[in-house]
Amino acid sequence: MSNVLVTGGAGFIGSNIVEALVDRGDDVTVLDNFHTGTRENLEKVIDEIELVEAPCKKIPDYDFGDLDKIFHIGIPSSSPMYRENHLLVGEAINEFIKVLELAREKDAKMVYASSSSMYGRCEPPHSEDMEVAAFDYYTEARLAMERIAKVHNEFYNVESIGLRFFSVYGPHEQAKGKYANIITQFYWKMKKDEKSLIFGDGTQTRDFTHVSDIVQAALKAADSNHEYEIINVGTGKETTFNKVVEMLNEKLDKSIKPEYQENPIKNYIERTHADISKAKKLLDYKPTISLEEGIEQMIQREN
């Protein structure tokens, strides 16, 4: 059994990690400010965890006791959030440093959420050895975090693994609202017989990854003996938005055509496609949920 802190543990990805940690018998503390998290996401485990309602910037105000592992998932996770509030870049980075300092104090292994978005100017498939560059506020924050984690490893021996998540969807997304994955947003629309909105012609792609596979990778990363790594977590497959609509129509027994609009977003990412060979090698990671299975599960949960 490990003593574990999960920041953002009431949010989408964080709550799925918390459930898995509790299932395997770990002692879990959740820190969350409930920006896009809810207590409903933790209803299965609420009596088995300690819940602290606070932002990461308040970490120095709390005594978390002994910690073996920290999952830092409580990072603003959508590019539009940063477009709406540019100051979020500095806030997210400063909170990241506070979590690193806690990991240093507790001699705890840290696993944190990075992003596939930084491959936006790279040709797929995307591998960790590619030269990436920030091209918007969101990717600037995430890339800075990876660099700062490296500094903490070199200066203070803080062990950390950054996981570049690829287009995550699955249970507990409801509270994310307009920031939810595009699959989920399409589903919410189409089940009400409304048209999905697609920018462009729908040929853009994403490597859609079920949250259960994200959880698998995160736990394996925390249990590994790697001192510092950046690792992709995806499926190794890309799917067009048009194909997602087609699959949803088939599963819902509908024939709703999407609405296409000219793309108003600058620096829009046209394709994501993870090279997951590093995850396979270092974490023995293997994606288990196909897109078809993930969509079927989504529909079954809400029926």
Side-chain angles (χ1 to χ4, degrees):
M1 183 182 78
S2 297
N3 296 315
V4 185
L5 172 67
V6 183
T7 73
F12 165 40
I13 295 175
S15 60
N16 280 280
I17 290 175
V18 169
E19 287 182 355
L21 291 168
V22 170
D23 283 347
R24 74 178 196 176
D26 287 338
D27 187 355
V28 182
T29 299
V30 168
L31 177 75
D32 203 297
N33 65 356
F34 293 99
H35 175 226
T36 57
T38 63
R39 283 177 171 77
E40 286 76 15
N41 283 346
L42 294 170
E43 60 184 358
K44 290 183 180 179
V45 296
I46 195 66
D47 295 329
E48 301 173 76
I49 63 171
E50 181 177 347
L51 178 58
V52 178
E53 184 175 352
C56 291
K57 66 182 179 181
K58 294 292 186 181
I59 279 176
D61 297 343
Y62 293 90
D63 179 8
F64 294 101
D66 293 332
L67 290 175
D68 304 301
K69 298 166 185 176
I70 299 173
F71 293 86
H72 184 31
I73 312 300
I75 306 170
S77 60
S78 179
S79 184
M81 295 178 183
Y82 294 79
R83 287 199 299 270
E84 294 162 8
N85 176 15
H86 301 164
L87 296 179
L88 195 56
V89 175
E91 294 171 14
I93 292 171
N94 284 333
E95 289 191 344
F96 187 80
I97 293 172
K98 288 184 184 296
V99 179
L100 278 170
E101 287 296 305
L102 179 64
R104 176 187 176 190
E105 174 191 340
K106 302 295 185 180
D107 192 24
K109 180 72 165 283
M110 177 171 156
V111 174
Y112 62 94
S114 190
S115 173
S116 62
S117 291
M118 61 185 64
Y119 293 118
R121 291 181 175 169
C122 302
E123 284 296 315
H126 300 122
S127 62
E128 297 87 347
D129 59 0
M130 285 180 162
E131 184 176 349
V132 297
F135 58 89
D136 64 3
Y137 296 99
Y138 174 56
T139 51
E140 180 60 57
R142 293 301 174 119
L143 188 54
M145 290 174 196
E146 291 184 358
R147 293 191 296 253
I148 291 168
K150 180 65 172 175
V151 169
H152 265 67
N153 176 252
E154 293 179 347
F155 278 28
Y156 309 120
N157 299 314
V158 175
E159 296 185 3
S160 68
I161 296 181
L163 300 178
R164 291 178 177 171
F165 298 152
F166 279 72
S167 202
V168 190
Y169 70 100
H172 301 181
E173 272 195 277
Q174 191 70 36
K176 291 195 72 174
K178 65 180 181 179
Y179 303 118
N181 187 276
I182 200 70
I183 289 180
T184 310
Q185 293 192 51
F186 285 0
Y187 170 64
W188 289 339
K189 285 275 192 180
M190 293 172 67
K191 73 176 182 178
K192 296 186 294 184
D193 293 324
E194 297 176 3
K195 292 185 176 184
S196 303
L197 174 61
I198 294 179
F199 293 146
D201 62 4
T203 59
Q204 65 264 56
T205 71
R206 296 292 181 267
D207 188 332
F208 294 108
T209 310
H210 195 271
V211 70
S212 62
D213 286 324
I214 297 294
V215 171
Q216 172 203 162
L219 267 60
K220 287 185 173 183
D223 294 340
S224 74
N225 58 6
H226 304 298
E227 294 188 3
Y228 173 85
E229 292 289 348
I230 302 297
I231 302 175
N232 289 339
V233 185
T235 67
K237 300 177 181 179
E238 57 182 323
T239 305
T240 68
F241 285 18
N242 286 334
K243 181 63 176 178
V244 170
V245 172
E246 179 185 322
M247 294 173 72
L248 284 166
N249 270 319
E250 181 182 343
K251 300 299 181 184
L252 293 168
D253 195 23
K254 297 177 184 289
S255 56
I256 305 171
K257 293 182 179 180
E259 176 186 350
Y260 297 99
Q261 288 187 7
E262 184 176 346
N263 193 342
I265 301 173
K266 291 184 178 180
N267 295 324
Y268 186 78
I269 298 171
E270 289 293 337
R271 295 173 63 193
T272 66
H273 179 187
D275 178 342
I276 57 174
S277 55
K278 187 175 182 179
K280 289 180 177 179
K281 179 180 178 181
L282 297 187
L283 303 180
D284 191 28
Y285 165 78
K286 182 179 180 181
T288 60
I289 305 294
S290 70
L291 182 54
E292 183 175 5
E293 291 172 315
I295 288 175
E296 286 177 352
Q297 290 180 17
M298 178 185 298
I299 294 170
Q300 290 171 2
R301 280 196 310 273
E302 302 213 10
N303 289 338

